[in-house]
Amino acid sequence: MNGCISMERILSKLDEHLHKNDTAAAERHLLYWLSETTANHDTRTELLIRNELMGLYRKLGKQEPAMACVHAALKTIEEEQIGHQVGAATTFLNCATVYKAFGMAEEALPLFRRAKAVYESELDKKDRRLGGLYNNMALALVDVGSFAEAKELYEQAISVMREQENGAPEVAITYLNMANAVEAELGALDAEEQIGAYLDQAERLLEEAAVRDGYYAFVCEKCASVFGYYGRFLYEKELTERARRIYEG
């Protein structure tokens, strides 16, 4: 493998594009470097770039190119026989998240479980990556009606993310996910009190967040629609405007 391509430089430029919400430039940037890594047979960097592309295509709702990245990445892991490594586990997680995003929770869960097995074996219990895994896996579990296991994972995600520097936005997302989960399980009327408590927690955390960068703007956009869904329209509008101001920065 050729190790001359700097992933740090690639990610730095990607962050510039995403901070401006210029997703077209972000896609061009990643596709250019994907072609470079495949030409250089740089498998490790190729996998990292495919992971970034999965995330981008998922956010843009582009199923076909997202799934193409999933299949290519899983094939590479199988060919290289690296499924036991943390980097491969991260790819399993990202592939599973793509499946979940496009309505294939059943297909996602085996990949989430593969990622979970490696992460829990190899990572510190407070590692931020575990929080992301638990949160995303719980979403898929809710989709298939496994509410008790989902709640347990959400609580584990909160436990991990509370320990992180600038982890408040992630914890806020988890509380909103828990609101959606309890509504799915009990119905809006019976879950009303619990939903209100989860929304209050999420709002408090979003207001307390010290770092308000491009990622925070993305979280605000993501959370805004949930607050609107539950009738908190003023806060939905505030979060949407806050995100816009950050992007225009």
Side-chain angles (χ1 to χ4, degrees), residues 5-15 29-30 33 37 45 49:
I5 296 174
S6 168
M7 194 63 199
E8 183 178 353
R9 181 160 62 93
I10 294 169
L11 292 177
S12 177
K13 191 64 179 179
L14 176 64
D15 286 343
H29 172 68
L30 289 172
W33 283 109
T37 57
T45 309
I49 293 173

Side-chain angles (χ1 to χ4, degrees), residues 162-176:
R162 276 181 171 159
E163 299 295 320
Q164 309 303 316
E165 184 177 5
N166 304 320
E170 293 287 348
V171 180
I173 290 172
T174 303
Y175 276 120
L176 294 181

Side-chain angles (χ1 to χ4, degrees), residues 86-124:
V86 170
T90 299
T91 301
F92 293 145
L93 167 58
N94 289 330
C95 291
T97 305
V98 170
Y99 275 119
K100 164 65 182 71
F102 294 110
M104 295 176 277
E106 289 282 3
E107 291 84 348
L109 283 169
L111 289 168
F112 278 128
R113 296 195 190 284
R114 289 185 73 179
K116 186 172 182 287
V118 176
Y119 272 10
E120 291 183 338
S121 171
E122 301 297 328
L123 299 180
D124 183 88

Side-chain angles (χ1 to χ4, degrees), residues 228-246:
Y229 173 79
Y230 288 114
R232 299 194 181 188
F233 303 117
L234 289 177
Y235 197 56
E236 176 187 26
K237 182 179 179 181
E238 165 59 28
L239 290 179
T240 301
E241 285 298 305
R242 188 178 297 174
R244 181 189 60 80
R245 291 194 299 269
I246 293 170

